[in-house]
Coordinates of all heavy atoms in Angstrom, one line a residue:
P143 N -8.9 -12.7 -6.9 CA -9.5 -13.9 -6.4 C -8.4 -14.9 -5.9 O -8.8 -15.8 -5.1 CB -10.4 -14.4 -7.5 CG -9.8 -13.9 -8.7 CD -9.2 -12.5 -8.3
D144 N -7.2 -14.8 -6.5 CA -6.2 -15.8 -6.1 C -4.8 -15.1 -6.3 O -4.8 -14.0 -6.7 CB -6.3 -17.1 -6.9 CG -6.3 -16.8 -8.4 OD1 -5.4 -16.1 -8.9 OD2 -7.2 -17.3 -9.1
M145 N -3.8 -15.8 -6.0 CA -2.4 -15.3 -6.1 C -1.7 -15.8 -7.3 O -0.4 -15.8 -7.3 CB -1.6 -15.6 -4.8 CG -2.0 -14.8 -3.7 SD -1.6 -13.0 -3.9 CE 0.1 -13.1 -4.1
Y146 N -2.3 -16.2 -8.4 CA -1.7 -16.6 -9.6 C -1.3 -15.5 -10.5 O -2.0 -14.5 -10.6 CB -2.5 -17.7 -10.3 CG -2.7 -18.9 -9.5 CD1 -3.8 -19.2 -8.8 CD2 -1.6 -19.8 -9.4 CE1 -3.9 -20.3 -8.0 CE2 -1.7 -21.0 -8.6 CZ -2.9 -21.2 -7.9 OH -3.0 -22.3 -7.1
P147 N -0.1 -15.6 -11.2 CA 0.3 -14.5 -12.1 C -0.8 -14.1 -13.1 O -1.5 -15.0 -13.6 CB 1.5 -15.1 -12.8 CG 2.0 -16.1 -11.8 CD 0.8 -16.7 -11.1
G148 N -1.0 -12.9 -13.3 CA -2.0 -12.4 -14.2 C -3.3 -12.0 -13.5 O -4.1 -11.2 -14.1
N149 N -3.6 -12.4 -12.3 CA -4.8 -12.1 -11.6 C -4.4 -11.0 -10.6 O -4.4 -11.2 -9.4 CB -5.4 -13.3 -10.9 CG -6.0 -14.3 -11.9 OD1 -6.3 -13.9 -13.0 ND2 -6.1 -15.5 -11.5
C150 N -4.1 -9.8 -11.1 CA -3.6 -8.8 -10.2 C -4.1 -7.4 -10.7 O -4.6 -7.3 -11.8 CB -2.1 -8.8 -10.1 SG -1.3 -8.6 -11.7
W151 N -3.7 -6.4 -9.9 CA -3.9 -5.0 -10.4 C -2.6 -4.6 -11.0 O -1.6 -4.3 -10.3 CB -4.3 -4.1 -9.2 CG -4.3 -2.7 -9.6 CD1 -5.2 -2.1 -10.5 CD2 -3.5 -1.6 -9.1 NE1 -4.9 -0.7 -10.6 CE2 -3.9 -0.4 -9.7 CE3 -2.5 -1.6 -8.2 CZ2 -3.3 0.8 -9.5 CZ3 -1.9 -0.4 -7.9 CH2 -2.3 0.8 -8.6
A152 N -2.6 -4.5 -12.3 CA -1.3 -4.2 -13.0 C -1.5 -2.8 -13.6 O -2.6 -2.3 -13.9 CB -1.1 -5.1 -14.1
F153 N -0.3 -2.1 -13.7 CA -0.3 -0.8 -14.3 C 0.9 -0.6 -15.2 O 1.9 -1.3 -14.9 CB -0.5 0.4 -13.3 CG 0.6 0.3 -12.2 CD1 1.8 1.1 -12.4 CD2 0.5 -0.4 -11.1 CE1 2.8 1.1 -11.5 CE2 1.5 -0.4 -10.1 CZ 2.6 0.3 -10.3
K154 N 0.9 0.3 -16.1 CA 2.0 0.5 -17.0 C 3.0 1.5 -16.4 O 2.6 2.5 -15.8 CB 1.5 1.1 -18.3 CG 2.4 1.1 -19.5 CD 1.7 1.5 -20.7 CE 2.6 1.2 -21.9 NZ 1.9 1.5 -23.2
G155 N 4.3 1.2 -16.5 CA 5.3 2.2 -16.0 C 5.8 1.8 -14.6 O 5.5 0.7 -14.1
S156 N 6.5 2.7 -14.1 CA 7.1 2.4 -12.8 C 6.4 3.1 -11.6 O 6.8 2.9 -10.5 CB 8.6 2.9 -12.8 OG 8.7 4.3 -13.0
Q157 N 5.3 3.8 -11.9 CA 4.6 4.4 -10.8 C 3.1 4.2 -11.0 O 2.6 4.1 -12.2 CB 4.8 5.9 -10.7 CG 6.2 6.3 -10.3 CD 6.3 7.8 -10.1 OE1 5.7 8.6 -10.8 NE2 7.1 8.2 -9.0
G158 N 2.3 4.1 -9.9 CA 0.9 4.0 -10.0 C 0.2 4.6 -8.8 O 0.9 4.8 -7.8
Y159 N -1.1 4.8 -8.9 CA -1.8 5.4 -7.8 C -3.1 4.5 -7.7 O -3.7 4.1 -8.7 CB -2.2 6.8 -8.1 CG -1.0 7.7 -8.3 CD1 -0.4 7.9 -9.6 CD2 -0.4 8.3 -7.3 CE1 0.7 8.6 -9.8 CE2 0.7 9.1 -7.4 CZ 1.3 9.3 -8.7 OH 2.4 10.0 -8.9
L160 N -3.5 4.4 -6.4 CA -4.7 3.7 -6.1 C -5.5 4.5 -5.1 O -4.9 4.9 -4.1 CB -4.4 2.3 -5.6 CG -5.6 1.5 -5.0 CD1 -6.5 1.1 -6.1 CD2 -5.1 0.3 -4.2
V161 N -6.8 4.7 -5.4 CA -7.6 5.4 -4.4 C -8.7 4.5 -4.0 O -9.4 3.9 -4.9 CB -8.2 6.7 -5.0 CG1 -9.2 7.4 -4.0 CG2 -7.1 7.7 -5.4
V162 N -8.9 4.3 -2.7 CA -10.0 3.5 -2.2 C -11.0 4.4 -1.5 O -10.6 5.1 -0.6 CB -9.4 2.4 -1.2 CG1 -10.6 1.6 -0.6 CG2 -8.4 1.5 -1.9
R163 N -12.2 4.4 -2.0 CA -13.3 5.2 -1.4 C -14.1 4.3 -0.5 O -14.6 3.3 -0.9 CB -14.1 5.8 -2.5 CG -15.2 6.7 -2.0 CD -16.0 7.3 -3.1 NE -17.0 8.1 -2.6 CZ -18.1 8.5 -3.3 NH1 -18.2 8.2 -4.5 NH2 -19.0 9.3 -2.7
L164 N -14.2 4.7 0.8 CA -14.9 4.0 1.8 C -16.3 4.7 2.1 O -16.4 5.8 1.8 CB -14.1 3.8 3.1 CG -12.8 3.2 2.9 CD1 -12.0 3.3 4.2 CD2 -12.9 1.8 2.4
S165 N -17.2 3.9 2.6 CA -18.5 4.5 2.9 C -18.6 5.3 4.1 O -19.5 6.0 4.4 CB -19.6 3.3 3.0 OG -19.2 2.5 4.0
M166 N -17.5 5.2 5.0 CA -17.5 6.0 6.2 C -16.0 6.2 6.6 O -15.1 5.5 6.1 CB -18.2 5.3 7.3 CG -17.6 3.9 7.7 SD -18.6 2.9 8.8 CE -18.8 3.9 10.2
K167 N -15.8 7.2 7.4 CA -14.5 7.6 7.8 C -13.9 6.5 8.7 O -14.6 6.0 9.6 CB -14.5 8.9 8.5 CG -13.1 9.5 8.8 CD -13.3 10.9 9.4 CE -11.9 11.6 9.4 NZ -12.0 13.0 9.7
I168 N -12.6 6.2 8.5 CA -12.0 5.2 9.4 C -10.6 5.8 9.8 O -10.2 6.8 9.3 CB -11.7 3.8 8.6 CG1 -10.7 4.0 7.5 CG2 -13.0 3.2 8.2 CD1 -10.0 2.8 7.0
Y169 N -10.1 5.2 10.8 CA -8.7 5.5 11.3 C -7.9 4.3 11.2 O -7.9 3.5 12.2 CB -8.8 6.1 12.8 CG -9.6 7.4 12.8 CD1 -10.9 7.4 13.1 CD2 -9.0 8.6 12.6 CE1 -11.7 8.5 13.1 CE2 -9.7 9.8 12.6 CZ -11.0 9.7 12.9 OH -11.7 10.9 12.9
P170 N -7.2 4.1 10.1 CA -6.4 2.9 9.9 C -5.2 2.8 10.9 O -4.7 3.8 11.3 CB -5.9 3.0 8.5 CG -5.9 4.5 8.2 CD -7.0 5.0 9.0
T171 N -4.9 1.5 11.2 CA -3.7 1.3 12.1 C -2.6 0.6 11.3 O -1.5 0.6 11.7 CB -4.1 0.4 13.3 OG1 -4.7 -0.8 12.8 CG2 -5.1 1.1 14.1
A172 N -3.0 0.0 10.2 CA -2.0 -0.7 9.4 C -2.5 -1.0 7.9 O -3.7 -0.8 7.7 CB -1.6 -2.1 10.0
F173 N -1.6 -1.3 7.0 CA -1.9 -1.6 5.6 C -1.3 -2.9 5.3 O -0.2 -3.2 5.8 CB -1.5 -0.5 4.7 CG -1.8 0.9 5.2 CD1 -1.0 1.7 5.9 CD2 -3.1 1.4 4.9 CE1 -1.3 2.9 6.3 CE2 -3.5 2.6 5.3 CZ -2.6 3.4 6.0
T174 N -1.8 -3.6 4.3 CA -1.2 -4.8 3.9 C -1.0 -4.8 2.4 O -1.8 -4.2 1.7 CB -1.9 -6.1 4.2 OG1 -3.2 -6.0 3.6 CG2 -2.0 -6.3 5.7
V175 N 0.1 -5.4 1.9 CA 0.4 -5.5 0.5 C 0.7 -7.0 0.2 O 1.5 -7.6 1.0 CB 1.5 -4.6 0.0 CG1 1.9 -4.9 -1.5 CG2 1.2 -3.2 0.2
E176 N 0.0 -7.5 -0.8 CA 0.3 -8.9 -1.1 C 0.7 -9.0 -2.6 O 0.2 -8.4 -3.5 CB -1.0 -9.8 -0.9 CG -0.7 -11.2 -1.1 CD -2.0 -12.1 -0.7 OE1 -3.1 -11.5 -0.7 OE2 -1.8 -13.3 -0.4
H177 N 1.8 -9.8 -2.9 CA 2.3 -10.0 -4.2 C 2.5 -11.5 -4.4 O 2.8 -12.2 -3.4 CB 3.6 -9.2 -4.4 CG 3.9 -9.0 -5.9 ND1 4.6 -10.0 -6.5 CD2 3.7 -8.1 -6.8 CE1 4.8 -9.6 -7.8 NE2 4.2 -8.4 -8.0
V178 N 2.4 -11.9 -5.6 CA 2.7 -13.3 -5.9 C 4.1 -13.7 -5.4 O 5.0 -13.0 -5.6 CB 2.5 -13.6 -7.4 CG1 3.6 -12.9 -8.3 CG2 2.6 -15.1 -7.7
P179 N 4.3 -14.9 -4.8 CA 5.6 -15.3 -4.3 C 6.5 -15.6 -5.4 O 6.0 -16.0 -6.5 CB 5.3 -16.4 -3.4 CG 3.9 -16.9 -3.7 CD 3.2 -15.8 -4.3
K180 N 7.8 -15.6 -5.2 CA 8.8 -15.9 -6.2 C 8.5 -17.4 -6.8 O 8.7 -17.6 -8.0 CB 10.2 -15.8 -5.7 CG 10.7 -14.4 -5.5 CD 12.1 -14.4 -5.0 CE 12.6 -13.0 -4.9 NZ 14.0 -12.9 -4.4
A181 N 8.1 -18.3 -5.9 CA 8.0 -19.7 -6.3 C 6.8 -19.8 -7.3 O 6.9 -20.8 -8.1 CB 7.7 -20.5 -5.0
L182 N 5.9 -18.9 -7.3 CA 4.8 -19.0 -8.3 C 5.0 -18.1 -9.5 O 4.2 -18.2 -10.5 CB 3.4 -18.7 -7.6 CG 2.9 -19.6 -6.5 CD1 1.6 -19.1 -6.0 CD2 2.8 -21.0 -7.1
S183 N 6.0 -17.3 -9.5 CA 6.3 -16.4 -10.6 C 6.9 -17.2 -11.8 O 7.8 -18.0 -11.5 CB 7.2 -15.3 -10.1 OG 7.5 -14.5 -11.2
P184 N 6.4 -17.0 -13.0 CA 7.0 -17.7 -14.1 C 8.5 -17.6 -14.3 O 9.1 -18.6 -14.6 CB 6.2 -17.1 -15.3 CG 5.0 -16.6 -14.8 CD 5.3 -16.1 -13.4
G185 N 9.0 -16.5 -14.1 CA 10.5 -16.3 -14.2 C 11.3 -16.5 -13.0 O 12.5 -16.3 -12.9
G186 N 10.6 -16.8 -11.9 CA 11.3 -17.0 -10.6 C 11.7 -15.7 -9.9 O 12.5 -15.7 -9.0
N187 N 11.2 -14.6 -10.4 CA 11.5 -13.3 -9.8 C 10.2 -12.5 -9.6 O 9.2 -12.8 -10.3 CB 12.6 -12.5 -10.5 CG 12.1 -12.0 -11.9 OD1 11.1 -11.3 -12.0 ND2 12.8 -12.4 -12.9
I188 N 10.3 -11.5 -8.8 CA 9.1 -10.6 -8.6 C 9.5 -9.2 -8.7 O 9.2 -8.4 -7.9 CB 8.3 -11.0 -7.3 CG1 9.2 -10.9 -6.1 CG2 7.7 -12.3 -7.4 CD1 8.5 -10.9 -4.8
T189 N 10.2 -8.9 -9.8 CA 10.7 -7.5 -10.0 C 9.5 -6.5 -10.2 O 9.7 -5.3 -10.1 CB 11.6 -7.4 -11.1 OG1 11.0 -7.9 -12.3 CG2 12.9 -8.2 -10.8
S190 N 8.3 -7.1 -10.5 CA 7.1 -6.2 -10.7 C 6.5 -5.8 -9.3 O 5.6 -5.0 -9.3 CB 6.1 -6.9 -11.5 OG 5.6 -8.1 -10.9
A191 N 7.0 -6.4 -8.2 CA 6.4 -6.1 -6.9 C 6.7 -4.6 -6.6 O 7.7 -4.1 -7.0 CB 7.0 -7.0 -5.9
P192 N 5.8 -4.0 -5.8 CA 6.0 -2.6 -5.4 C 7.3 -2.6 -4.5 O 7.5 -3.6 -3.8 CB 4.8 -2.3 -4.6 CG 4.2 -3.6 -4.2 CD 4.6 -4.6 -5.2
R193 N 8.0 -1.6 -4.6 CA 9.2 -1.4 -3.7 C 8.9 -0.3 -2.7 O 8.4 -0.6 -1.6 CB 10.5 -1.2 -4.5 CG 11.0 -2.4 -5.2 CD 12.3 -2.1 -5.9 NE 12.0 -1.4 -7.2 CZ 11.8 -2.0 -8.3 NH1 11.9 -3.3 -8.4 NH2 11.6 -1.3 -9.4
N194 N 9.2 0.9 -3.1 CA 8.9 2.0 -2.2 C 7.5 2.5 -2.5 O 7.1 2.7 -3.6 CB 9.9 3.1 -2.5 CG 11.3 2.7 -2.2 OD1 11.6 2.1 -1.2 ND2 12.2 2.9 -3.2
F195 N 6.7 2.7 -1.4 CA 5.4 3.2 -1.6 C 5.0 4.1 -0.4 O 5.5 3.9 0.7 CB 4.3 2.1 -1.9 CG 4.1 1.2 -0.8 CD1 3.0 1.4 0.1 CD2 4.9 0.1 -0.5 CE1 2.7 0.5 1.1 CE2 4.7 -0.8 0.5 CZ 3.6 -0.6 1.3
A196 N 4.0 4.9 -0.6 CA 3.5 5.8 0.5 C 2.0 5.7 0.5 O 1.4 5.4 -0.5 CB 3.9 7.3 0.2
V197 N 1.5 5.9 1.7 CA 0.0 5.8 1.9 C -0.4 7.2 2.4 O 0.2 7.7 3.4 CB -0.4 4.7 2.8 CG1 -1.9 4.7 3.1 CG2 0.1 3.3 2.3
Y198 N -1.5 7.7 1.8 CA -2.0 9.0 2.3 C -3.5 8.8 2.6 O -4.2 8.0 2.1 CB -2.0 10.0 1.1 CG -0.6 10.4 0.7 CD1 0.2 9.7 -0.1 CD2 0.0 11.6 1.3 CE1 1.5 10.1 -0.4 CE2 1.2 12.0 0.9 CZ 2.0 11.2 0.1 OH 3.3 11.6 -0.2
G199 N -4.0 9.6 3.6 CA -5.4 9.6 4.0 C -6.0 10.9 3.5 O -5.4 12.0 3.6
L200 N -7.2 10.7 3.0 CA -8.0 11.9 2.6 C -9.3 12.0 3.4 O -9.9 11.0 3.8 CB -8.4 11.7 1.1 CG -7.3 11.5 0.1 CD1 -7.9 11.2 -1.3 CD2 -6.5 12.8 0.0
D201 N -9.7 13.3 3.7 CA -10.9 13.5 4.4 C -12.1 13.3 3.5 O -13.2 12.9 4.0 CB -10.9 14.9 5.0 CG -9.9 15.0 6.2 OD1 -9.8 14.1 7.0 OD2 -9.3 16.1 6.3
D202 N -12.0 13.6 2.3 CA -13.1 13.4 1.3 C -12.5 13.3 -0.1 O -11.4 13.5 -0.3 CB -14.1 14.6 1.4 CG -13.6 15.9 1.1 OD1 -13.0 16.1 0.0 OD2 -13.7 16.8 1.9
E203 N -13.4 12.9 -1.0 CA -12.9 12.7 -2.4 C -12.5 13.9 -3.2 O -11.9 13.8 -4.2 CB -14.0 12.0 -3.2 CG -15.3 12.8 -3.3 CD -16.4 12.0 -3.9 OE1 -16.3 11.6 -5.1 OE2 -17.4 11.7 -3.2
Y204 N -12.8 15.1 -2.6 CA -12.5 16.3 -3.3 C -11.1 16.9 -2.8 O -10.6 17.9 -3.4 CB -13.6 17.4 -3.1 CG -14.9 16.9 -3.6 CD1 -15.9 16.5 -2.6 CD2 -15.2 16.7 -4.9 CE1 -17.1 16.0 -3.1 CE2 -16.4 16.2 -5.3 CZ -17.4 15.8 -4.4 OH -18.5 15.3 -4.8
Q205 N -10.6 16.4 -1.8 CA -9.3 16.8 -1.2 C -8.2 16.5 -2.2 O -8.1 15.3 -2.7 CB -9.0 16.1 0.1 CG -7.9 16.7 0.9 CD -7.7 16.0 2.2 OE1 -8.6 15.3 2.7 NE2 -6.6 16.2 2.8
E206 N -7.4 17.5 -2.6 CA -6.3 17.2 -3.6 C -5.1 16.6 -3.0 O -4.4 15.9 -3.6 CB -6.0 18.5 -4.3 CG -7.2 18.9 -5.2 CD -6.8 20.1 -6.2 OE1 -5.6 20.2 -6.4 OE2 -7.7 20.7 -6.6
E207 N -4.7 17.0 -1.8 CA -3.5 16.5 -1.1 C -3.9 15.8 0.1 O -4.6 16.4 1.0 CB -2.5 17.6 -0.8 CG -1.7 18.0 -2.1 CD -0.5 18.9 -1.7 OE1 0.1 18.6 -0.7 OE2 -0.2 19.8 -2.4
G208 N -3.5 14.6 0.3 CA -3.8 13.8 1.5 C -2.8 14.0 2.6 O -1.7 14.7 2.4
K209 N -3.0 13.4 3.7 CA -2.1 13.4 4.9 C -1.3 12.2 4.8 O -1.8 11.0 4.7 CB -3.0 13.4 6.2 CG -2.2 13.1 7.4 CD -1.5 14.4 7.9 CE -0.8 14.1 9.2 NZ 0.4 14.7 9.3
L210 N 0.0 12.3 4.8 CA 0.9 11.2 4.7 C 0.8 10.3 5.9 O 1.0 10.8 7.1 CB 2.4 11.7 4.5 CG 3.4 10.6 4.5 CD1 3.3 9.7 3.2 CD2 4.8 11.2 4.5
L211 N 0.5 9.1 5.8 CA 0.3 8.2 6.9 C 1.6 7.3 7.1 O 1.8 6.6 8.1 CB -0.9 7.3 6.7 CG -2.2 8.0 6.6 CD1 -3.4 7.1 6.4 CD2 -2.4 8.9 7.8
G212 N 2.4 7.2 6.1 CA 3.6 6.5 6.2 C 4.3 6.2 4.8 O 3.6 6.2 3.8
Q213 N 5.6 6.0 4.8 CA 6.3 5.5 3.6 C 6.9 4.2 4.0 O 7.5 4.0 5.1 CB 7.4 6.6 3.3 CG 6.8 7.9 2.9 CD 7.9 8.9 2.5 OE1 8.7 9.2 3.3 NE2 7.8 9.3 1.3
Y214 N 6.9 3.3 3.0 CA 7.2 1.9 3.3 C 8.0 1.3 2.1 O 8.1 1.8 1.0 CB 5.9 1.1 3.4 CG 5.0 1.7 4.4 CD1 3.9 2.5 4.0 CD2 5.1 1.5 5.8 CE1 3.0 3.1 4.9 CE2 4.3 2.1 6.7 CZ 3.2 2.8 6.3 OH 2.4 3.4 7.2
V215 N 8.6 0.1 2.4 CA 9.4 -0.6 1.4 C 8.9 -2.1 1.5 O 8.9 -2.7 2.6 CB 10.9 -0.6 1.7 CG1 11.6 -1.5 0.7 CG2 11.4 0.8 1.7
Y216 N 8.4 -2.6 0.4 CA 8.0 -4.0 0.3 C 9.3 -4.8 0.1 O 10.1 -4.6 -0.8 CB 7.1 -4.2 -0.9 CG 6.5 -5.6 -1.1 CD1 5.4 -6.0 -0.4 CD2 7.2 -6.5 -1.9 CE1 4.9 -7.3 -0.5 CE2 6.7 -7.8 -2.0 CZ 5.6 -8.2 -1.3 OH 5.1 -9.5 -1.4
D217 N 9.4 -5.9 1.0 CA 10.6 -6.7 0.9 C 10.3 -7.9 0.0 O 9.6 -8.8 0.3 CB 10.9 -7.2 2.3 CG 12.1 -8.2 2.4 OD1 12.8 -8.4 1.4 OD2 12.3 -8.7 3.5
Q218 N 11.0 -7.8 -1.2 CA 10.8 -8.9 -2.2 C 11.2 -10.3 -1.8 O 10.8 -11.3 -2.3 CB 11.4 -8.5 -3.5 CG 10.8 -7.3 -4.2 CD 11.4 -7.0 -5.5 OE1 12.1 -7.8 -6.1 NE2 11.1 -5.8 -6.0
D219 N 12.1 -10.3 -0.7 CA 12.6 -11.6 -0.2 C 11.8 -12.0 1.0 O 12.1 -13.0 1.6 CB 14.1 -11.5 0.2 CG 14.9 -11.3 -1.1 OD1 14.7 -11.9 -2.1 OD2 15.9 -10.4 -1.0
G220 N 10.8 -11.2 1.4 CA 10.0 -11.5 2.6 C 8.8 -12.3 2.2 O 8.7 -12.9 1.1
E221 N 7.8 -12.4 3.1 CA 6.6 -13.1 2.9 C 5.8 -12.4 1.8 O 5.9 -11.2 1.6 CB 5.8 -13.1 4.2 CG 6.4 -13.9 5.3 CD 6.4 -15.4 4.9 OE1 5.5 -15.9 4.4 OE2 7.5 -16.0 5.2
P222 N 4.9 -13.1 1.0 CA 4.1 -12.5 0.0 C 3.1 -11.5 0.6 O 2.9 -10.5 -0.1 CB 3.3 -13.7 -0.6 CG 4.1 -14.9 -0.2 CD 4.8 -14.6 1.1
L223 N 2.6 -11.7 1.7 CA 1.7 -10.8 2.4 C 2.4 -10.1 3.5 O 2.9 -10.7 4.4 CB 0.5 -11.5 3.0 CG -0.6 -10.7 3.7 CD1 -1.3 -9.8 2.7 CD2 -1.6 -11.6 4.4
Q224 N 2.6 -8.8 3.4 CA 3.3 -8.0 4.3 C 2.4 -6.9 4.9 O 1.7 -6.3 4.2 CB 4.6 -7.4 3.7 CG 5.5 -8.4 3.2 CD 6.7 -7.9 2.5 OE1 7.1 -6.8 2.7 NE2 7.3 -8.7 1.6
M225 N 2.6 -6.7 6.2 CA 1.8 -5.6 6.9 C 2.7 -4.5 7.3 O 3.8 -4.7 7.7 CB 1.1 -6.2 8.2 CG 0.2 -5.2 8.8 SD -0.9 -5.8 10.1 CE 0.0 -7.0 11.0
F226 N 2.2 -3.3 7.1 CA 2.9 -2.0 7.4 C 2.1 -1.2 8.4 O 1.0 -0.8 8.0 CB 3.2 -1.3 6.1 CG 3.9 -2.1 5.1 CD1 3.2 -2.9 4.2 CD2 5.3 -2.2 5.1 CE1 3.9 -3.6 3.2 CE2 5.9 -3.0 4.2 CZ 5.2 -3.7 3.2
P227 N 2.5 -0.9 9.6 CA 1.8 -0.1 10.5 C 1.7 1.4 10.1 O 2.7 1.9 9.4 CB 2.5 -0.2 11.8 CG 3.9 -0.6 11.4 CD 3.8 -1.3 10.1
V228 N 0.7 2.1 10.5 CA 0.6 3.5 10.2 C 1.7 4.2 11.0 O 1.9 3.9 12.2 CB -0.8 4.0 10.6 CG1 -0.8 5.6 10.6 CG2 -1.9 3.5 9.7
M229 N 2.5 5.0 10.4 CA 3.6 5.7 11.0 C 3.2 7.0 11.6 O 3.7 7.5 12.6 CB 4.7 5.9 10.0 CG 5.3 4.6 9.5 SD 6.5 5.0 8.3 CE 7.8 3.9 8.7
V230 N 2.2 7.7 11.0 CA 1.8 9.0 11.4 C 0.2 9.0 11.5 O -0.4 8.6 10.5 CB 2.2 10.2 10.5 CG1 1.7 11.5 10.9 CG2 3.7 10.2 10.3
S231 N -0.3 9.3 12.6 CA -1.8 9.3 12.8 C -2.4 10.5 12.0 O -1.7 11.4 11.6 CB -2.2 9.4 14.3 OG -1.8 10.6 14.8
L232 N -3.7 10.4 11.8 CA -4.4 11.5 11.1 C -4.3 12.8 11.8 O -4.4 13.9 11.1 CB -5.8 11.1 10.8 CG -6.0 10.0 9.8 CD1 -7.4 9.5 9.7 CD2 -5.5 10.3 8.4
D233 N -4.0 12.8 13.1 CA -3.9 14.1 13.8 C -2.5 14.6 13.7 O -2.1 15.7 14.3 CB -4.4 14.0 15.2 CG -3.5 13.0 16.0 OD1 -2.5 12.5 15.6 OD2 -3.9 12.7 17.2
G234 N -1.6 13.9 13.0 CA -0.2 14.4 12.7 C 0.8 13.9 13.7 O 2.0 14.3 13.6
K235 N 0.4 13.1 14.7 CA 1.4 12.6 15.7 C 2.1 11.4 15.2 O 1.5 10.5 14.6 CB 0.6 12.3 17.0 CG 0.0 13.5 17.7 CD -0.7 13.1 18.9 CE -1.3 14.4 19.6 NZ -2.2 14.0 20.7
I236 N 3.4 11.3 15.4 CA 4.2 10.2 15.0 C 3.8 9.1 16.0 O 3.8 9.3 17.2 CB 5.7 10.5 15.0 CG1 6.0 11.5 14.0 CG2 6.5 9.2 14.8 CD1 7.4 12.0 13.9
K237 N 3.6 7.9 15.5 CA 3.2 6.7 16.3 C 4.4 6.3 17.1 O 5.6 6.4 16.7 CB 2.8 5.6 15.5 CG 1.5 5.8 14.7 CD 0.3 5.8 15.6 CE -1.0 5.8 14.9 NZ -2.1 5.4 15.7
S238 N 4.2 5.8 18.3 CA 5.3 5.4 19.2 C 6.1 4.2 18.6 O 5.5 3.4 17.9 CB 4.8 5.0 20.6 OG 3.9 3.9 20.4
G239 N 7.4 4.2 18.8 CA 8.2 3.1 18.3 C 8.7 3.3 16.9 O 9.2 2.5 16.3
R240 N 8.4 4.5 16.3 CA 8.8 4.7 14.9 C 9.9 5.8 14.8 O 9.9 6.7 15.5 CB 7.6 5.3 14.1 CG 6.4 4.3 14.2 CD 6.6 3.2 13.2 NE 5.5 2.2 13.4 CZ 5.7 1.0 14.0 NH1 6.9 0.7 14.5 NH2 4.7 0.2 14.2

């Protein structure tokens, strides 16, 4: 509901997984990640922010391996809300300019 420390999706350890189930098939063009800014962090750092992450697309909930749509790096010195374009389309073509 807000960007204050403690109101987030937290997980234990250095890796986590998130699956979002949608009511219909979509063809995403970009993804966003938002993390609390350093200025609002109690310790003045955001080492808990995601760094390297990958996004996969699934055709259905029973598919075990998804299609890699891109690998990204969250810039901890950048804006709290960062957008990452899809690098590979669902048909396997690399997007232009990548």
Side-chain angles (χ1 to χ4, degrees):
D144 55 53
M145 282 297 296
Y146 293 103
N149 291 336
C150 60
W151 173 63
F153 58 90
K154 193 175 195 174
S156 62
Q157 290 187 325
Y159 301 91
L160 171 69
V161 176
V162 177
R163 184 177 178 198
L164 303 174
S165 62
M166 60 191 306
K167 190 173 191 171
I168 66 162
Y169 295 94
T171 58
F173 310 98
T174 59
V175 174
E176 186 173 21
H177 195 275
V178 65
K180 287 182 179 181
L182 294 180
S183 177
N187 68 59
I188 55 170
T189 56
S190 64
R193 284 182 285 269
N194 300 310
F195 66 98
V197 178
Y198 292 83
L200 300 172
D201 288 323
D202 60 57
E203 63 188 293
Y204 305 107
Q205 189 177 349
E206 291 190 23
E207 282 194 39
K209 169 80 178 143
L210 179 65
L211 301 179
Q213 294 181 301
Y214 310 97
V215 177
Y216 183 86
D217 179 6
Q218 293 184 12
D219 295 318
E221 293 295 319
L223 180 66
Q224 297 177 26
M225 184 168 36
F226 304 92
V228 169
M229 297 174 136
V230 179
S231 64
L232 290 173
D233 62 8
K235 296 179 182 173
I236 296 175
K237 296 286 192 166
S238 63
R240 304 281 171 253

